[in-house]
Amino acid sequence: MSLLLALELLLLLLALPRLSCRSTSNSTHPSLDRQADALLRWKAGLYIREIYHLDSWTKGTSPCDYWTGVTCSNAVLPRGGDRGDAALVVSNLSLVEFGLEGRLDRLHFEDLPHLVHLDFFYNNLRGPIPSSMGTLAKLQYLDLSGNYLHGFIPTSLDLPHLVHLDLSYNNLSGPIPSSIGALAKLEYLDLSSNYLNGCIPTPLGDCTTLTSIDLYYYYLLSGGIPSSIGALAELTHLDLSFNELNGSIPTSLGNLTSLYHLDLSNNWITASIGSIGNLTSLYHLDLSNNRITGSVGSIGNLTSLEFLDLSNNQINGSILTFSKLISLTTLSLKSNQLNGMLPPELGSLVLLSHMDLSRNQFSGSIPPQIGHCYSLSSLLLSDNLLTGQIPRQLGYLDNLHELDLSKNNLSSAIPTTFSVYYQLWKLNLSYNNLDGRVPFIAATLISLDHNTNLSGDSYGLTPCDTPKQDMEHQKRKHPSMVLLALFAPFSFACLSIVSITIIRQRRKDVKSTSKSKSGDIFSIWNFDGKIAFEDIISATENFDDKYCIGVGGYGSVFRVHLEDGIIFAVKLLQSVKEYNNEGTFHAEIEVLTKIRHRCIVKLYGFCSHSQYKFLVYELIERGSLSSTMHEQELAKELDWPKRVSVVVDVAQALSCLHHDCGDPIVHRDIKSSNILLDLDYKAYVLDFGMARKLKHGYSRWSTIFAGTCGYIAPELSSTMVLTEKCDVYSFGVVALEVLMGKHPGDLLLPFFCRTKVPGKVKDILDQRIAAPSTIDEEKDAILVTLVAFACLQVNPKARPTMQQVYQALTNRNRPTFIPRPLHEIRLQDLHDYCGAIKNI
């Protein structure tokens, strides 16, 4: 469904038109138009006063013929005496992400005795779970997750046929009722992300058909893990993380031979983990952030493991047996008491992408065999007792983006093979005993401080001295060498005069050629910075502040006007000695030399000089979107059609980056100050110093907290996992900023706190310009608000892609339907419905 059509449907429902249906003759039940009207109130998300008996419909008159999400089936109903009549009854209500609101306990579930499937996922329902749900004797599927339900879980939910129960992401409190053990057919149980407390009930082990249990989050469940869980022979998924569970892991868990996902992280579990070694089907094991002691030898038997996290415990011993875990992709053992040498067999873990062995007591040298783990993207060995040289084989890890060997006793020189890294973001070799010359390494963050005697021409190091043996050789000069030394200056002077003459003549020829062709001066510059360097220095008087037109996080932007009348912008990096500039410098060049798009600023060339590093762009005359909206007079010129056009331009640029560049490119710093406006108010995205490539279908660990506060996606601050959806969130902030004329600020809080969004759409619009005066302008204001809200969803999976956003903003085939004036549309209406954009 397109976004425009979805918006039309929302506003149509909010207008509450009456749906008329033909009633069945001689029916003793309420007329079908009243029944349909009641159902419509479900759809529209209003308070529900009653549910009618829905058992008198026939084919052609039931709501199943009119509404998706409502399914009817045939049933035999008693109608007096011993005889029953066949009729259509409602068996399925699936109103997912539909903006339902009101108190759930006001619904008369006893009027739907034939309900088999009930799914109200991700709505705005409140109040407690009504005890009347216990009358749904035929119910098999119940999902009330993602609402605002509170109170206790009723003990009356004795539903003998229930297979699926999901009450997660609510505000439920109190203990988990012991009556849950009576759900004899239950297979799926999710009570996570609530405020439940007390112990995990022992009768849970009576639900022998359970395959999945989720009870994670909020540190409220306490006591030990009941041994009765070991009787759940069909269990494949168990997540009890982020609670206050204590004691040991029951030995009975070793009976769960079908278990493939076990997460007991962030608890107070103290005993050893010997029983885990029997779970040979496990592929995900997370026991991090507990107080587990002892060795981990038994885990070496879990040859199916793909994810293993034992970090932040008190585990000791060696990890030799881990070399058998040939399926591992993630291995994290940081912050333990592990010791001994790193086994060379670690090189056999060829599928490993993340290895974190930091903050332990490993000794000896780094095995060069680790260089065979070609899938590694993150290798962290810091804060150990490692000695010896850094193996040159580590330079062959082509996919590495983070390497941390800091706080060890490593010695000798940095391998020259490190020069071949092309995806490295972070390199930390600090606090070692390294010496010698540092090769060029293209990384965003490089830390080399607190070493013995490193030298080099970059990274803020001292220049390399002439080798001692060369000095001694110079002292033992041969007489012929002395004669040659006297003749050399004369030869050099002659060669210099000839060279200067040739260079001046060629420069004159180049300038005359460029003028005669009346073309772009940089068409013959060839992106090496050699021809225009002196011209740029001269035009800016050695980058005098009076030519500066902007200052950013990584440098200043200067306006350059050459003698030929050509004008462009130059971004001068702050200092060539700062370690972070090299990475951002090359990142921006790599992105902009491969992209040519109308909505992305054009790079003409770059210069890497011993004194200066700068990038040369086309000059966008009006400056940044941020400065335009900050100035009251300039903001008045930015009317509603222009503002919508700016939002569309930015969406088009991001859609190109994410979907049209082979591997997706994530900008990571989308904000109003990184969007430029030309004289026609066309928008251009710039500043790609923090941009990163992703492989299709993959995310990346973000090793630095890149971006600008107020625009950063919430998941990036908590998980540091980078995806295209991080840019989508930032775009949502910018879209609201364009509508409001200022940063949305507190308007973002309801997305985090799941509270009501106060006010109406008209309340947030920039008051410095006239309100939207035409139907088209009103449609656009509502559309941009809805798109922005969809992009601001806390769950990244709920956000649309930038391709979907751009298509929604540009698709004008179906005009937006507005059944009432703009000033009556509530922000909450759009907030409740914005999740539907992901279906466009």
Side-chain angles (χ1 to χ4, degrees):
M1 181 186 297
S2 71
L3 174 62
L4 294 178
L5 184 58
L7 182 60
E8 292 171 16
L9 177 59
L10 167 68
L11 299 177
L12 175 63
L13 293 174
L14 291 175
L16 282 180
R18 191 172 185 82
L19 179 65
S20 176
C21 298
R22 293 181 293 114
S23 61
T24 306
S25 59
N26 301 323
S27 174
T28 59
H29 299 278
S31 64
L32 289 179
D33 62 333
R34 292 178 60 200
Q35 296 168 4
D37 187 58
L39 185 60
L40 181 60
R41 295 213 301 274
W42 275 97
K43 289 282 187 176
L46 302 179
Y47 285 89
I48 303 164
R49 295 185 177 87
E50 58 183 323
I51 293 294
Y52 302 98
H53 292 281
L54 305 181
D55 57 10
S56 63
W57 291 314
T58 60
K59 191 67 176 175
T61 64
S62 76
C64 308
D65 300 320
Y66 299 99
W67 299 103
T68 57
V70 179
T71 305
C72 297
S73 60
N74 290 309
V76 178
L77 303 177
R79 294 191 182 277
D82 297 328
R83 297 190 59 186
D85 296 325
L88 284 175
V89 297
V90 172
S91 59
N92 183 320
L93 281 178
S94 182
L95 304 178
V96 176
E97 298 184 74
F98 218 88
L100 299 177
E101 64 181 24
R103 293 180 64 89
L104 188 66
D105 56 338
R106 293 190 181 184
L107 307 185
H108 297 258
F109 287 102
E110 62 270 18
D111 292 330
L112 297 169
H114 301 279
L115 205 59
V116 174
H117 186 108
L118 178 60
D119 191 350
F120 290 160
F121 165 74
Y122 207 81
N123 285 285
N124 298 309
L125 297 172
R126 302 176 183 275
I129 299 174
S131 58
S132 61
M133 279 194 168
T135 63
L136 302 177
K138 297 183 179 181
L139 196 64
Q140 299 177 15
Y141 186 102
L142 176 59
D143 190 342
L144 303 177
S145 60
N147 285 282
Y148 300 93
L149 302 176
H150 63 263
F152 289 10
I153 299 174
T155 58
S156 60
L157 289 182
D158 183 10
L159 305 172
H161 298 286
L162 196 64
V163 174
H164 181 108
L165 176 60
D166 191 346
L167 305 178
S168 62
Y169 289 91
N170 280 288
N171 298 319
L172 299 172
S173 58
I176 301 173
S178 298
S179 59
I180 203 166
L183 304 177
K185 294 186 178 181
L186 194 63
E187 297 179 5
Y188 180 94
L189 174 65
D190 191 349
L191 307 179
S192 58
S193 295
N194 280 288
Y195 297 94
L196 302 173
N197 55 37
C199 298
I200 299 173
T202 300
L204 185 61
D206 296 335
C207 303
T208 55
T209 56
L210 270 171
T211 61
S212 178
I213 299 177
D214 281 299
L215 301 177
Y216 62 85
Y217 207 57
Y218 278 138
Y219 302 99
L220 294 176
L221 293 177
S222 57
I225 302 172
S227 59
S228 61
I229 291 182
L232 305 177
E234 304 296 324
L235 200 63
T236 60
H237 177 102
L238 178 61
D239 191 341
L240 307 178
S241 60
F242 289 93
N243 283 291
E244 295 182 354
L245 302 174
N246 53 45
S248 62
I249 299 174
T251 56
S252 62
L253 257 62
N255 301 328
L256 304 178
T257 55
S258 298
L259 198 66
Y260 60 77
H261 182 109
L262 177 60
D263 191 342
L264 305 178
S265 62
N266 295 277
N267 280 286
W268 293 353
I269 298 171
T270 56
S272 61
I273 53 178
S275 60
I276 300 295
N278 298 327
L279 306 179
T280 54
S281 296
L282 274 181
Y283 73 77
H284 181 108
L285 176 60
D286 192 346
L287 303 177
S288 61
N289 295 287
N290 279 285
R291 302 173 183 179
I292 298 172
T293 59
S295 64
V296 291
S298 61
I299 291 181
N301 301 325
L302 308 181
T303 55
S304 297
L305 270 182
E306 297 179 12
F307 179 99
L308 175 60
D309 191 347
L310 304 178
S311 59
N312 294 289
N313 281 287
Q314 299 171 24
I315 301 171
N316 54 39
S318 68
I319 60 170
L320 179 61
T321 59
F322 283 13
S323 59
K324 302 176 184 178
L325 308 180
I326 57 175
S327 299
L328 270 184
T329 61
T330 298
L331 173 62
S332 181
L333 305 175
K334 70 177 181 180
S335 299
N336 278 286
Q337 300 172 12
L338 296 165
N339 51 43
M341 300 182 66
L342 296 178
E345 290 81 4
L346 287 176
S348 64
L349 306 181
V350 294
L351 300 179
L352 202 62
S353 63
H354 176 79
M355 182 192 296
D356 190 348
L357 307 180
S358 59
R359 299 182 185 179
N360 280 284
Q361 300 172 21
F362 292 114
S363 58
S365 59
I366 300 174
Q369 289 84 354
I370 292 180
H372 298 158
C373 301
Y374 298 119
S375 299
L376 269 178
S377 62
S378 179
L379 176 59
L380 311 177
L381 302 177
S382 64
D383 209 349
N384 278 285
L385 305 174
L386 299 173
T387 58
Q389 300 182 5
I390 300 174
R392 61 182 179 82
Q393 288 84 351
L394 296 188
Y396 303 149
L397 300 174
D398 295 338
N399 294 311
L400 205 63
H401 74 259
E402 181 179 16
L403 176 61
D404 191 346
L405 306 179
S406 63
K407 297 182 180 179
N408 282 287
N409 294 313
L410 300 172
S411 58
S412 194
I414 299 173
T416 56
T417 54
F418 279 24
S419 296
V420 302
Y421 286 134
Y422 64 93
Q423 295 197 53
L424 198 65
W425 291 2
K426 180 180 179 181
L427 174 65
N428 192 348
L429 302 178
S430 60
Y431 293 93
N432 279 288
N433 296 316
L434 301 172
D435 57 20
R437 183 181 181 87
V438 177
F440 171 77
I441 305 170
T444 303
L445 288 178
I446 299 180
S447 181
L448 304 173
D449 55 314
H450 295 280
N451 276 286
T452 304
N453 189 23
L454 290 176
S455 61
D457 300 327
S458 55
Y459 316 116
L461 301 172
T462 56
C464 296
D465 296 328
T466 304
K468 184 177 180 180
Q469 60 270 25
D470 290 349
M471 295 293 295
E472 294 176 352
H473 179 72
Q474 289 179 15
K475 292 178 181 179
R476 301 191 297 269
K477 294 178 181 177
H478 193 275
S480 61
M481 297 296 293
V482 175
L483 185 62
L484 179 62
L486 294 175
F487 181 73
F490 175 75
S491 302
F492 178 76
C494 295
L495 289 173
S496 299
I497 294 173
V498 174
S499 299
I500 292 172
T501 304
I502 294 174
I503 290 173
R504 285 182 175 178
Q505 184 61 41
R506 287 185 176 178
R507 184 167 295 173
K508 289 180 181 180
D509 294 341
V510 165
K511 288 184 178 181
S512 60
T513 301
S514 63
K515 291 179 181 179
S516 63
K517 291 183 178 180
S518 65
D520 190 348
I521 185 173
F522 298 105
S523 63
I524 59 170
W525 186 20
N526 205 24
F527 299 111
D528 61 7
K530 295 177 181 177
I531 295 176
F533 177 77
E534 287 93 353
D535 295 335
I536 292 174
I537 299 300
S538 175
T540 59
E541 299 180 28
N542 201 20
F543 293 108
D544 192 279
D545 288 345
K546 66 183 178 182
Y547 296 99
C548 182
I549 58 176
V551 178
Y554 291 97
S556 302
V557 180
F558 293 82
R559 180 187 179 93
V560 178
H561 192 164
L562 296 183
E563 294 179 357
D564 296 340
I566 296 175
I567 303 175
F568 48 85
V570 171
K571 182 167 78 172
L572 175 69
L573 298 188
Q574 290 175 345
S575 170
V576 296
K577 294 184 179 180
E578 293 186 8
Y579 66 87
N580 58 350
N581 280 343
E582 194 71 36
T584 59
F585 182 70
H586 288 284
E588 192 149 8
I589 293 171
E590 181 183 5
V591 172
L592 292 180
T593 52
K594 295 179 180 179
I595 296 177
R596 288 292 181 265
H597 192 276
R598 207 283 301 159
C599 298
I600 295 176
V601 69
K602 184 186 296 183
L603 176 71
Y604 285 132
F606 61 89
C607 177
S608 181
H609 188 268
S610 59
Q611 292 180 325
Y612 300 107
K613 274 187 172 63
F614 56 75
L615 301 161
V616 183
Y617 305 93
E618 63 176 323
L619 181 67
I620 310 298
E621 294 85 352
R622 289 192 182 274
S624 72
L625 173 64
S626 176
S627 61
T628 299
M629 291 192 297
H630 183 73
E631 296 291 335
Q632 185 165 347
E633 294 304 318
L634 295 177
K636 289 180 179 179
E637 298 179 14
L638 200 59
D639 57 19
W640 294 116
K642 292 188 180 76
R643 294 190 185 214
V644 173
S645 177
V646 167
V647 174
V648 173
D649 288 345
V650 177
Q652 185 180 10
L654 291 177
S655 179
C656 171
L657 290 173
H658 293 181
H659 303 283
D660 301 333
C661 297
D663 290 331
I665 297 174
V666 183
H667 186 282
R668 295 210 299 172
D669 198 17
I670 292 296
K671 56 183 177 180
S672 56
S673 58
N674 280 341
I675 298 167
L676 301 180
L677 303 178
D678 66 11
L679 294 176
D680 296 322
Y681 293 97
K682 297 294 184 183
Y684 299 77
V685 175
L686 79 157
D687 201 347
F688 288 80
M690 299 306 298
R692 290 294 178 269
K693 282 186 177 182
L694 300 179
K695 291 184 179 180
H696 273 294
Y698 291 89
S699 60
R700 289 185 67 163
W701 288 90
S702 180
T703 56
I704 58 172
F705 194 63
T708 303
C709 289
Y711 298 87
I712 299 174
E715 71 273 11
L716 191 57
S717 61
S718 58
T719 66
M720 300 298 282
V721 176
L722 179 69
T723 67
E724 300 99 314
K725 296 299 181 75
C726 297
D727 279 353
V728 175
Y729 180 90
S730 302
F731 170 82
V733 178
V734 170
L736 279 185
E737 189 173 358
V738 171
L739 290 176
M740 300 172 66
K742 60 181 181 180
H743 188 276
D746 292 344
L747 190 59
L748 302 178
L749 292 179
F751 293 92
F752 294 87
C753 305
R754 300 188 67 184
T755 56
K756 292 283 187 181
V757 186
K760 299 179 179 179
V761 174
K762 70 176 183 63
D763 297 334
I764 68 168
L765 301 182
D766 194 344
Q767 303 299 312
R768 295 173 296 180
I769 60 176
S773 56
T774 66
I775 292 294
D776 286 339
E777 289 182 358
E778 290 186 351
K779 291 176 183 178
D780 287 339
I782 296 174
L783 180 60
V784 173
T785 307
L786 183 59
V787 167
F789 280 8
C791 295
L792 293 173
Q793 298 300 299
V794 174
N795 182 358
K797 294 182 179 179
R799 298 173 203 152
T801 65
M802 285 310 306
Q803 190 174 59
Q804 290 173 325
V805 167
Y806 177 62
Q807 290 172 351
L809 291 171
T810 56
N811 183 3
R812 302 295 177 182
N813 294 332
R814 291 185 292 272
T816 307
F817 177 70
I818 301 179
R820 55 186 179 181
L822 171 66
H823 64 268
E824 295 182 13
I825 305 295
R826 299 183 307 147
L827 285 170
Q828 186 64 38
D829 298 336
L830 303 183
H831 182 270
D832 292 342
Y833 198 70
C834 65
I837 190 178
K838 70 179 183 179
N839 296 320
I840 60 177

